[in-house]
Amino acid sequence: MAGGFVGSDGGKRAAQYEGRITKYFVLTVIVASMGGSLFGYDLGVSGGVTSMDDFLRDFFPKVLKRKQEHLNETDYCKYDNQLLTLFTSSLYFAALVSTFGASHLTRVKGRRASILFAATSFFLGAVVNAGAVNILMLIIGRILLGIGIGFGNQSVPLYLSEMAPAKHRGAVNQLFQFTTCFFIVVANIINYFTANIHPWGWRLSVGLAALPASLMFLGGLMVPETPNSLVEQGRLEEARTVLMKIRGTDNIEAEFADLKEASEAARAVKHPFRNLLQRKNRPQLIIGALGIPAFQQLTGNNSILFYAPVIFQSLGFGSGTALYSSIITSGMLAIAPFVSMVLVDRVGRRAMFIEAGIQMIIAMATVAGVLATKFGHGQMLPKADGIVLVIMTCLFCLAYGWSWGPLGWLVPSEIFPLETRSAGQSMVVCVNMLFTAAIAQCFLAALCHLKYGIFILFVCLIIIMTLFIIFLLPETKRVPIEEMHFLWESHPVWRKVVLTEQERLERGEKD
């Protein structure tokens, strides 16, 4: 789908688009969605590895000693070690920086080239980490993994949104979240078994990251470039051929005309990052590039995913039980995208954000309440309370899995016009990774010092982000990307930003 512009003809042809869901289209988006496997596998494997005694013995003996001293009791500070958290967060700092290079490659060489580069870098990172003999090698491996995630998260959501027809764009984009969540489960299951392989089980866990990287690389070789990118590169006949194949019809002239029009406007933009700051792009900047990617991490969900085994062990769960509990919670995340696929293009993005916000607030507040009654007793949590924690964590993960998880990538990828789309997606990934890295680096220290208060903090943040959605995000379901600018022009808040005073007066509007 092409990008829209205020005052252009783009979008007026949307009703003339034809096409159907073809086998070629389905195969293409399924293969491309494997990009989520990189992010998912790392999210799942990191927390499990950092809770393994063999890994801690090799690289973080002080943490292991503290863990063994408090093995069978509640102790929020077992894993409070900044070097240990740097092992996790260094990946996301690398992803943050690399996304700007990803923007250039994605725009100049296409989405497919960025996907292939992501897979290659992630594969190399897996190999380095599996063979690491010191912390420096660990960090270098994590940086290579981070570069892969930076490029993958920049290109795959764009690829899926551009290939999908408007009425199915939400469901198609959910495939990215599904593969992310599925590989979180895969990683947790692998951790569960490798934890019993001494002393090199952790190496197997991190080394198997090469598998999703290989699948993504092979998939990148199989899939075509998006018609949008081909038009942007001047390869018009190739773009026309791909568009006919994925739409299953020869009558693609209306959509193809919009693609060419959007591309011509995009080529006229020499500085896409600077263009993001223009008045007409202010809603996309605030909602898509800043607000949603930041809030996606401030829900606290990825903190739970990073450190699920660590959290459960800190609360008195045994090592095996902690890993098993993390498999259950990540399994909820793998189920949730199916709910989102069914509902996102029916009930809409706003309704799913708001319902999930309420569910997440209730679940997290319950977790905080349970912990508040048990904090400071220096003993294992009673079994009943442990069950409540796991259930509430599952409900939280379910809500996140059908809202902020997938929609945090879907909404930004569909609201940027073509001339700022690569730059905008880079900002999305950059902000997302900045907050991911910051929370990964700070969470264990915050858990140590704030205790159950960290979960109360997340409750407050979820309230704020739910209000953000209520007041600032218009409904985007089934709206062609070419027509997104009409949403801002009619929104009670954004129309005062994107329209000049003269334009509002001409339309008979008053402030």
Side-chain angles (χ1 to χ4, degrees):
M1 307 297 288
F5 303 90
V6 177
S8 76
D9 290 332
K12 296 181 180 178
R13 306 183 187 93
Q16 304 172 34
Y17 291 3
E18 292 187 14
R20 56 187 174 82
I21 300 298
T22 65
K23 292 180 180 178
Y24 181 74
F25 167 75
V26 172
L27 177 64
T28 295
V29 296
I30 288 176
V31 171
S33 68
M34 285 302 298
S37 65
L38 306 188
F39 197 22
Y41 190 85
D42 184 79
L43 281 173
V45 83
S46 298
V49 166
T50 53
S51 71
M52 293 181 186
D53 289 355
D54 292 324
F55 174 79
L56 295 175
R57 185 176 295 108
D58 288 343
F59 299 101
F60 304 97
K62 292 182 179 178
V63 177
L64 178 61
K65 181 181 179 181
R66 183 190 304 159
K67 172 185 172 182
Q68 291 175 336
E69 289 174 350
H70 301 277
L71 185 62
N72 295 315
E73 62 184 54
T74 299
D75 180 8
Y76 290 97
C77 300
K78 283 180 183 177
Y79 293 90
D80 181 20
N81 181 285
Q82 289 300 295
L83 191 58
L84 176 62
T85 53
L86 182 62
F87 166 74
T88 297
S89 60
S90 58
L91 179 148
Y92 303 102
F93 285 118
L96 183 160
V97 175
S98 69
T99 187
F100 294 103
S103 172
H104 177 75
L105 182 64
T106 301
R107 190 180 191 200
V108 175
K109 297 297 183 180
R111 287 53 165 152
R112 186 168 170 265
S114 193
I115 289 172
L116 292 171
F117 186 91
T120 302
S121 181
F122 199 85
F123 182 91
L124 293 174
V127 172
V128 172
N129 267 357
V133 295
N134 53 50
I135 292 178
L136 179 61
M137 283 188 70
L138 278 181
I139 299 302
I140 291 174
R142 295 290 290 173
I143 289 172
L144 289 169
L145 293 173
I147 292 172
I149 286 178
F151 275 76
N153 285 13
Q154 206 274 349
S155 55
V156 173
L158 281 186
Y159 187 97
L160 295 174
S161 286
E162 289 182 347
M163 294 294 275
K167 63 182 179 180
H168 299 299
R169 190 175 59 242
V172 169
N173 202 275
Q174 306 302 294
L175 291 171
F176 179 74
Q177 178 69 8
F178 171 73
T179 55
T180 299
C181 295
F182 178 76
F183 274 86
I184 291 173
V185 179
V186 170
N188 276 308
I189 293 173
I190 289 172
N191 281 340
Y192 183 79
F193 289 104
T194 59
N196 297 315
I197 302 175
H198 305 288
W200 51 271
W202 69 268
R203 294 185 185 275
L204 183 58
S205 284
V206 298
L208 283 174
L211 177 59
S214 299
L215 293 174
M216 183 175 172
F217 185 85
L218 293 174
L221 294 175
M222 293 171 56
V223 299
E225 185 57 83
T226 69
N228 309 63
S229 181
L230 291 170
V231 170
E232 199 172 9
Q233 296 173 56
R235 298 155 62 183
L236 297 183
E237 287 308 311
E238 192 176 346
R240 184 189 297 272
T241 300
V242 171
L243 190 58
M244 286 190 293
K245 288 186 71 174
I246 61 175
R247 297 292 182 257
T249 178
D250 293 337
N251 189 13
I252 45 87
E253 294 309 315
E255 186 171 1
F256 193 66
D258 276 343
L259 286 173
K260 290 192 293 183
E261 182 179 288
S263 178
E264 289 169 4
R267 278 197 294 268
V269 176
K270 302 301 181 184
H271 305 285
F273 282 100
R274 189 183 304 170
N275 190 264
L276 267 177
L277 302 176
Q278 292 184 4
R279 179 173 182 154
K280 67 176 183 177
N281 293 321
R282 201 67 51 78
Q284 297 95 315
L285 175 67
I286 293 174
I287 293 176
L290 300 176
I292 287 180
F295 285 140
Q296 187 188 51
Q297 299 310 315
L298 292 174
T299 59
N301 184 78
N302 278 355
S303 299
I304 293 173
L305 292 179
F306 291 150
Y307 302 118
V310 169
I311 292 171
F312 286 124
Q313 283 196 41
S314 295
L315 299 176
F317 288 61
S319 178
T321 305
L323 286 171
Y324 186 69
S325 298
S326 68
I327 292 173
I328 295 174
T329 54
S330 60
M332 297 300 102
L333 279 176
I335 294 171
F338 289 106
V339 178
S340 192
M341 287 180 191
V342 172
L343 297 180
V344 68
D345 289 317
R346 297 181 182 180
V347 304
R349 284 64 159 154
R350 277 172 52 87
M352 297 193 72
F353 270 128
I354 294 168
E355 182 283 329
I358 295 170
Q359 183 171 325
M360 292 161 72
I361 289 167
I362 293 172
M364 196 67 84
T366 304
V367 169
V370 171
L371 296 181
T373 61
K374 302 300 177 182
F375 164 67
H377 294 275
Q379 60 187 10
M380 292 182 66
L381 288 170
K383 183 177 180 179
D385 291 324
I387 292 173
V388 170
L389 286 181
V390 173
I391 291 174
M392 288 299 107
T393 304
C394 287
L395 289 176
F396 179 89
C397 289
L398 276 173
Y400 177 89
W402 63 56
S403 63
W404 283 95
L407 303 186
W409 296 106
L410 167 62
V411 173
S413 72
E414 66 184 359
I415 65 176
F416 289 105
L418 186 60
E419 83 267 26
T420 62
R421 195 170 301 160
S422 292
Q425 188 66 14
S426 285
M427 286 294 295
V428 172
V429 177
C430 177
V431 172
N432 187 290
M433 292 300 147
L434 175 63
F435 279 84
T436 302
I439 290 183
Q441 188 66 33
C442 298
F443 180 76
L444 292 181
L447 182 66
C448 177
H449 296 288
L450 296 179
K451 280 62 179 187
Y452 63 87
I454 186 66
F455 300 101
I456 296 176
L457 175 61
F458 284 134
V459 168
C460 296
L461 290 171
I462 296 169
I463 291 172
I464 292 171
M465 62 186 72
T466 302
L467 293 174
F468 176 88
I469 294 297
I470 291 172
F471 290 109
L472 295 181
L473 180 67
E475 183 52 64
T476 60
K477 71 172 180 177
R478 302 196 176 191
V479 178
I481 296 178
E482 293 80 9
E483 296 184 350
M484 285 293 172
H485 61 88
F486 295 128
L487 294 180
W488 317 122
E489 293 175 9
S490 60
H491 191 272
V493 174
W494 294 121
R495 69 184 180 193
K496 297 178 182 179
V497 176
V498 299
L499 296 177
T500 65
E501 183 178 353
Q502 181 62 36
E503 287 172 326
R504 294 201 303 275
L505 289 174
E506 291 173 356
R507 295 183 180 208
E509 298 178 4
K510 296 181 180 180
D511 290 335

